[in-house]
């Protein structure tokens, strides 16, 4: 299946290694455009938004293809909700709002 613009995705990068949760804007031969937040910050980010505290916003990024190790849809299962579903549960808001 093809990735669609506006989908929630998890991107694993190398050099340096990073994991991002984001909303996909575009994929092309040069790379990926995504609005994202670092997964290492996800729990604190959700808590800050839920408590109306200051938080780092999602940022628009262009990631060159040579840095991308893996892109996955942010899909959940019955026993394990997606990160976007977890975000909505914790904050009461949609991930795409950010």
């Amino acid at each position: 299946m093809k990735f669609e613009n506006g989908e929630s995705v998890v991107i694993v990068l190398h050099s340096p290694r990073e994991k991002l949760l984001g909303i996909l804007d575009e994929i092309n031969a040069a790379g990926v455009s995504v609005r994202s937040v670092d997964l290492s910050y996800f729990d604190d980010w959700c808590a800050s938004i839920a408590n109306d505290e200051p938080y780092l916003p999602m940022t628009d990024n262009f990631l060159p293809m040579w840095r991308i190790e893996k892109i996955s849809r942010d899909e959940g299962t019955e026993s394990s909700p997606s990160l976007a579903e977890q975000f909505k549960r914790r904050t009461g808001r949609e991930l795409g709002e950010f």
Side-chain angles (χ1 to χ4, degrees), residues 74-86 89:
D74 176 32
E75 297 177 317
T77 64
E78 288 183 28
S79 60
S80 178
S82 70
L83 292 167
E85 291 167 338
Q86 291 178 44
R89 252 190 235 157

Side-chain angles (χ1 to χ4, degrees), residues 2-47:
K2 181 179 174 185
F3 287 98
E4 299 292 332
N5 294 354
E7 279 189 285
S8 176
V9 294
V10 175
I11 301 174
V12 179
L13 305 170
H14 63 83
S15 303
R17 187 158 177 85
E18 297 176 80
K19 292 182 182 179
L20 305 174
L21 169 65
I23 304 297
L24 183 65
D25 184 37
E26 181 181 5
I27 295 179
N28 61 45
V32 175
S33 295
V34 65
R35 185 162 186 77
S36 62
V37 65
D38 193 301
L39 271 179
S40 66
Y41 180 60
F42 182 74
D43 289 328
D44 292 336
W45 187 61
C46 289

Side-chain angles (χ1 to χ4, degrees), residues 41-62:
Y41 180 60
F42 182 74
D43 289 328
D44 292 336
W45 187 61
C46 289
S48 295
I49 292 169
N51 296 318
D52 291 323
E53 298 172 351
Y55 59 89
L56 293 174
M58 291 178 90
T59 56
D60 291 315
N61 295 290
F62 174 78

